[in-house]
Amino acid sequence: MKPQEEEAKKRGDETARQDSSEIPALLVNTTQLPQTIISQAQVRQLSPSALAYLGDSIYELYVRMFFLLPQQRPEIYHSLVVAQVRAETQALHLRSLTPELRSNELEIVRRGRNAATSRPKRLNPEIYQQATSLETLVGYLYLTDYPRLMELLQKLHLEK
């Protein structure tokens, strides 16, 4: 093996041992929204459902990146992520974050809760409302205060 290949292999092994605390930095580099795409006025016009739609994808991307290392088989990734993105877990995460939220964030959570009208039959309506509230908050903060979003997501109790 050439010295350059050996060095690349060593770097790859070191990368595999990355700490999960580096995941938010990866998310910043890959998903930070340029402010020129959507204005603050446009954000205010978005419905809580639209914010929840966006927040659902951002939240799932964060969870997927959290579980990316160490490498797993795809079915293991899937089961780990599904356990975290289900409504019951999202509701728990919202309850754990609530004491940390600012007044404007609590208002977004309230709007998200009130926007959750339909739900899957298997779910308690309160759980579904809380999950939708978390997604609404994530969508809102993604568009308005990305550093604050990362601060809150890092406080979630995701376990490998």
Coordinates of all heavy atoms in Angstrom, one line a residue, residues 24 26-35 37-38 40 43 46 50-59 61-62 105 108 134-153:
P24 N -23.5 18.3 15.3 CA -24.1 19.6 15.0 C -23.3 20.5 14.1 O -23.8 21.2 13.2 CB -24.2 20.3 16.4 CG -24.3 19.1 17.3 CD -23.4 18.1 16.7
L26 N -21.4 19.4 11.7 CA -21.7 18.9 10.3 C -23.0 19.4 9.8 O -23.2 19.7 8.6 CB -21.7 17.4 10.4 CG -20.4 16.7 10.6 CD1 -20.6 15.2 10.8 CD2 -19.4 16.9 9.5
L27 N -24.0 19.4 10.7 CA -25.3 19.9 10.3 C -25.3 21.4 9.9 O -25.9 21.8 8.9 CB -26.4 19.7 11.4 CG -27.8 19.9 11.1 CD1 -28.3 18.9 10.0 CD2 -28.7 19.7 12.3
V28 N -24.5 22.2 10.6 CA -24.4 23.6 10.2 C -23.8 23.7 8.8 O -24.3 24.5 8.0 CB -23.5 24.3 11.2 CG1 -23.1 25.7 10.7 CG2 -24.2 24.4 12.6
N29 N -22.8 22.9 8.5 CA -22.2 23.0 7.2 C -23.0 22.6 6.1 O -22.9 23.0 5.0 CB -20.9 22.2 7.2 CG -19.8 22.9 8.2 OD1 -19.9 24.1 8.4 ND2 -18.9 22.0 8.7
T30 N -24.0 21.7 6.4 CA -24.7 21.1 5.3 C -26.1 21.6 5.1 O -26.8 21.5 4.1 CB -24.9 19.6 5.5 OG1 -25.5 19.3 6.7 CG2 -23.5 18.9 5.4
T31 N -26.7 22.3 6.2 CA -28.1 22.7 6.1 C -28.3 24.1 6.4 O -29.5 24.5 6.4 CB -28.9 21.8 7.0 OG1 -28.5 22.1 8.3 CG2 -28.9 20.4 6.7
Q32 N -27.3 24.9 6.6 CA -27.6 26.3 7.0 C -28.3 27.0 5.8 O -27.8 27.0 4.7 CB -26.3 27.0 7.4 CG -26.6 28.3 8.1 CD -25.5 28.8 8.9 OE1 -24.3 28.4 8.6 NE2 -25.7 29.7 9.8
L33 N -29.4 27.6 6.1 CA -30.2 28.3 5.0 C -29.7 29.7 4.8 O -29.6 30.5 5.7 CB -31.6 28.3 5.5 CG -32.6 28.9 4.5 CD1 -32.8 27.9 3.3 CD2 -33.9 29.1 5.2
P34 N -29.3 30.0 3.5 CA -29.0 31.4 3.2 C -30.1 32.3 3.5 O -31.3 32.0 3.1 CB -28.6 31.3 1.8 CG -28.4 29.9 1.4 CD -29.2 29.1 2.4
Q35 N -29.9 33.4 4.2 CA -30.9 34.3 4.5 C -31.6 35.0 3.3 O -32.7 35.5 3.5 CB -30.4 35.4 5.5 CG -29.9 34.9 6.8 CD -31.0 34.3 7.6 OE1 -32.1 34.8 7.7 NE2 -30.8 33.1 8.2
I37 N -32.9 33.5 0.8 CA -34.0 32.7 0.2 C -35.3 33.0 0.8 O -36.3 33.1 0.0 CB -33.7 31.2 0.5 CG1 -32.5 30.7 -0.3 CG2 -34.9 30.3 0.1 CD1 -32.0 29.3 -0.1
I38 N -35.4 33.3 2.0 CA -36.7 33.7 2.6 C -36.5 34.8 3.6 O -35.6 34.8 4.5 CB -37.4 32.4 3.3 CG1 -38.8 32.7 3.7 CG2 -36.5 31.8 4.4 CD1 -39.6 31.4 4.0
Q40 N -37.7 37.6 6.7 CA -38.4 37.5 8.0 C -39.9 37.7 7.8 O -40.7 37.1 8.5 CB -37.8 38.5 9.0 CG -36.4 38.2 9.4 CD -36.4 36.9 10.2 OE1 -37.3 36.6 11.0 NE2 -35.3 36.1 10.0
V43 N -41.4 34.5 6.6 CA -41.4 33.6 7.7 C -42.7 33.8 8.6 O -43.4 32.9 9.0 CB -40.1 33.6 8.6 CG1 -40.3 32.8 9.9 CG2 -38.9 33.2 7.8
L46 N -45.8 32.3 7.2 CA -45.9 30.8 7.2 C -46.9 30.3 8.2 O -46.8 30.8 9.4 CB -44.6 30.2 7.3 CG -43.6 30.4 6.1 CD1 -42.3 29.8 6.5 CD2 -44.2 29.7 4.8
A50 N -47.0 24.7 8.0 CA -45.8 24.7 7.1 C -44.5 24.7 7.9 O -43.5 24.0 7.4 CB -45.9 26.0 6.3
L51 N -44.4 25.4 9.0 CA -43.2 25.3 9.8 C -43.0 23.9 10.3 O -41.9 23.4 10.4 CB -43.4 26.3 11.0 CG -43.3 27.8 10.6 CD1 -43.7 28.6 11.8 CD2 -42.0 28.2 10.0
A52 N -44.1 23.2 10.7 CA -44.0 21.8 11.2 C -43.5 20.9 10.1 O -42.7 20.0 10.3 CB -45.3 21.3 11.8
Y53 N -44.0 21.1 8.9 CA -43.5 20.4 7.7 C -42.0 20.5 7.5 O -41.3 19.5 7.3 CB -44.3 20.8 6.5 CG -43.9 20.2 5.2 CD1 -44.2 18.9 4.9 CD2 -43.1 20.9 4.3 CE1 -43.8 18.4 3.7 CE2 -42.6 20.4 3.1 CZ -43.0 19.1 2.8 OH -42.6 18.5 1.6
L54 N -41.5 21.7 7.6 CA -40.1 21.9 7.5 C -39.3 21.4 8.7 O -38.3 20.7 8.6 CB -39.8 23.4 7.3 CG -38.3 23.8 7.3 CD1 -37.6 23.2 6.1 CD2 -38.2 25.3 7.4
G55 N -39.9 21.6 9.9 CA -39.2 21.2 11.1 C -39.1 19.7 11.2 O -38.1 19.2 11.7
D56 N -40.1 19.0 10.7 CA -40.0 17.5 10.7 C -38.8 17.0 9.9 O -38.1 16.1 10.4 CB -41.3 17.0 10.0 CG -41.3 15.4 9.9 OD1 -41.1 14.8 11.0 OD2 -41.5 14.9 8.8
S57 N -38.5 17.6 8.8 CA -37.4 17.1 8.0 C -36.1 17.5 8.6 O -35.1 16.8 8.6 CB -37.5 17.6 6.5 OG -37.5 19.0 6.5
I58 N -36.0 18.7 9.2 CA -34.8 19.2 9.8 C -34.5 18.3 11.1 O -33.3 17.9 11.3 CB -34.9 20.7 10.2 CG1 -35.1 21.5 9.0 CG2 -33.6 21.1 11.0 CD1 -34.0 21.4 7.9
Y59 N -35.5 18.1 11.8 CA -35.3 17.2 13.0 C -34.9 15.8 12.6 O -33.9 15.3 13.2 CB -36.7 17.2 13.8 CG -36.7 16.2 15.0 CD1 -36.1 16.6 16.2 CD2 -37.2 15.0 14.9 CE1 -36.1 15.8 17.3 CE2 -37.2 14.1 16.0 CZ -36.6 14.5 17.2 OH -36.6 13.7 18.2
L61 N -33.3 14.9 9.9 CA -31.9 15.0 9.4 C -30.9 15.1 10.6 O -29.9 14.4 10.6 CB -31.7 16.2 8.5 CG -30.3 16.5 8.0 CD1 -29.8 15.3 7.1 CD2 -30.3 17.8 7.2
Y62 N -31.2 15.9 11.6 CA -30.4 16.0 12.8 C -30.2 14.6 13.4 O -29.1 14.2 13.8 CB -30.9 17.0 13.8 CG -30.1 17.1 15.0 CD1 -29.0 17.9 15.0 CD2 -30.4 16.4 16.2 CE1 -28.2 18.0 16.2 CE2 -29.6 16.5 17.3 CZ -28.5 17.3 17.3 OH -27.7 17.4 18.4
E105 N -40.4 31.6 21.7 CA -40.4 30.2 21.4 C -41.6 29.4 21.9 O -42.2 28.6 21.3 CB -39.1 29.5 21.8 CG -37.9 30.1 21.1 CD -36.6 29.8 21.8 OE1 -36.6 29.3 23.0 OE2 -35.5 30.0 21.2
I108 N -44.5 30.1 19.7 CA -44.5 29.2 18.5 C -44.9 27.8 18.8 O -45.7 27.2 18.1 CB -43.0 29.2 17.9 CG1 -42.6 30.6 17.3 CG2 -42.9 28.1 16.8 CD1 -43.5 31.1 16.2
L134 N -43.2 20.6 18.6 CA -41.7 20.5 18.5 C -41.3 20.7 17.1 O -40.3 21.5 16.8 CB -41.2 19.2 19.0 CG -39.7 19.0 18.9 CD1 -38.9 19.9 19.8 CD2 -39.3 17.5 19.1
E135 N -42.0 20.1 16.1 CA -41.6 20.3 14.7 C -41.8 21.7 14.3 O -41.0 22.2 13.5 CB -42.5 19.3 13.9 CG -42.2 17.9 14.1 CD -43.2 17.0 13.4 OE1 -44.2 17.4 13.0 OE2 -42.9 15.7 13.3
T136 N -42.8 22.4 14.8 CA -43.1 23.8 14.4 C -41.9 24.7 15.0 O -41.4 25.5 14.2 CB -44.4 24.2 15.0 OG1 -45.5 23.4 14.5 CG2 -44.7 25.7 14.6
L137 N -41.5 24.4 16.2 CA -40.4 25.1 16.8 C -39.1 24.9 16.0 O -38.4 25.9 15.7 CB -40.2 24.7 18.2 CG -39.1 25.4 19.0 CD1 -39.3 26.9 19.1 CD2 -38.9 24.7 20.3
V138 N -38.9 23.7 15.6 CA -37.6 23.4 14.9 C -37.7 24.1 13.5 O -36.7 24.7 13.1 CB -37.5 21.9 14.7 CG1 -36.3 21.6 13.7 CG2 -37.2 21.2 16.0
G139 N -38.8 24.1 12.8 CA -38.9 24.8 11.5 C -38.7 26.3 11.7 O -38.0 26.9 10.9
Y140 N -39.4 26.8 12.7 CA -39.3 28.3 12.9 C -37.8 28.7 13.3 O -37.3 29.6 12.7 CB -40.2 28.7 14.1 CG -40.1 30.1 14.5 CD1 -40.7 31.1 13.7 CD2 -39.3 30.5 15.6 CE1 -40.5 32.5 14.1 CE2 -39.2 31.8 16.0 CZ -39.8 32.8 15.2 OH -39.6 34.1 15.6
L141 N -37.2 28.0 14.2 CA -35.8 28.3 14.5 C -34.8 28.1 13.4 O -33.8 28.8 13.2 CB -35.4 27.6 15.8 CG -36.0 28.0 17.1 CD1 -35.6 27.1 18.2 CD2 -35.8 29.5 17.4
Y142 N -35.1 27.1 12.6 CA -34.2 26.9 11.4 C -34.2 28.1 10.5 O -33.2 28.5 10.0 CB -34.7 25.6 10.6 CG -33.9 25.3 9.4 CD1 -32.6 24.8 9.5 CD2 -34.4 25.6 8.2 CE1 -31.9 24.6 8.4 CE2 -33.7 25.3 7.0 CZ -32.4 24.8 7.1 OH -31.6 24.6 6.0
L143 N -35.4 28.7 10.4 CA -35.5 29.9 9.5 C -35.1 31.2 10.1 O -34.7 32.1 9.4 CB -36.9 30.0 9.0 CG -37.4 28.9 8.1 CD1 -38.9 29.0 7.8 CD2 -36.6 28.8 6.8
T144 N -35.2 31.3 11.4 CA -35.0 32.6 12.1 C -33.7 32.6 13.0 O -33.2 33.7 13.2 CB -36.2 32.9 12.9 OG1 -36.4 32.0 14.0 CG2 -37.4 33.0 12.1
D145 N -33.4 31.5 13.7 CA -32.3 31.6 14.6 C -31.6 30.3 14.7 O -31.7 29.5 15.6 CB -32.8 32.0 16.0 CG -31.7 32.3 17.0 OD1 -30.5 32.1 16.7 OD2 -32.1 32.8 18.1
Y146 N -30.8 30.0 13.7 CA -30.1 28.7 13.5 C -29.2 28.3 14.7 O -29.3 27.2 15.2 CB -29.3 28.6 12.2 CG -28.9 27.3 11.8 CD1 -29.8 26.4 11.2 CD2 -27.6 26.8 12.1 CE1 -29.4 25.1 10.9 CE2 -27.3 25.5 11.8 CZ -28.2 24.7 11.2 OH -27.8 23.4 10.9
P147 N -28.4 29.3 15.2 CA -27.6 28.9 16.4 C -28.4 28.5 17.6 O -28.1 27.6 18.3 CB -26.8 30.2 16.7 CG -26.8 30.9 15.4 CD -28.1 30.6 14.7
R148 N -29.6 29.1 17.8 CA -30.5 28.7 18.9 C -31.0 27.3 18.6 O -31.2 26.5 19.6 CB -31.6 29.8 19.0 CG -32.6 29.4 20.1 CD -32.1 29.5 21.5 NE -33.2 29.3 22.4 CZ -33.1 28.8 23.6 NH1 -31.9 28.6 24.1 NH2 -34.1 28.7 24.4
L149 N -31.4 27.0 17.4 CA -31.9 25.7 17.1 C -30.8 24.6 17.5 O -31.1 23.6 18.1 CB -32.2 25.6 15.6 CG -32.5 24.2 15.1 CD1 -33.8 23.6 15.8 CD2 -32.7 24.2 13.6
M150 N -29.6 24.9 17.1 CA -28.5 23.9 17.4 C -28.3 23.8 18.9 O -28.1 22.7 19.4 CB -27.2 24.3 16.7 CG -27.1 24.1 15.2 SD -27.3 22.4 14.8 CE -29.0 22.2 14.3
E151 N -28.4 24.9 19.6 CA -28.3 24.9 21.1 C -29.4 24.0 21.7 O -29.1 23.1 22.5 CB -28.4 26.3 21.6 CG -28.4 26.4 23.1 CD -28.7 27.9 23.5 OE1 -28.4 28.8 22.8 OE2 -29.3 28.0 24.6
L152 N -30.6 24.1 21.2 CA -31.7 23.3 21.8 C -31.6 21.8 21.3 O -31.8 20.9 22.2 CB -33.0 23.9 21.3 CG -33.4 25.2 22.0 CD1 -34.7 25.7 21.4 CD2 -33.5 25.1 23.5
L153 N -31.2 21.6 20.1 CA -31.1 20.2 19.6 C -30.0 19.4 20.4 O -30.2 18.3 20.6 CB -30.9 20.1 18.1 CG -32.1 20.5 17.2 CD1 -31.7 20.5 15.8 CD2 -33.2 19.6 17.4

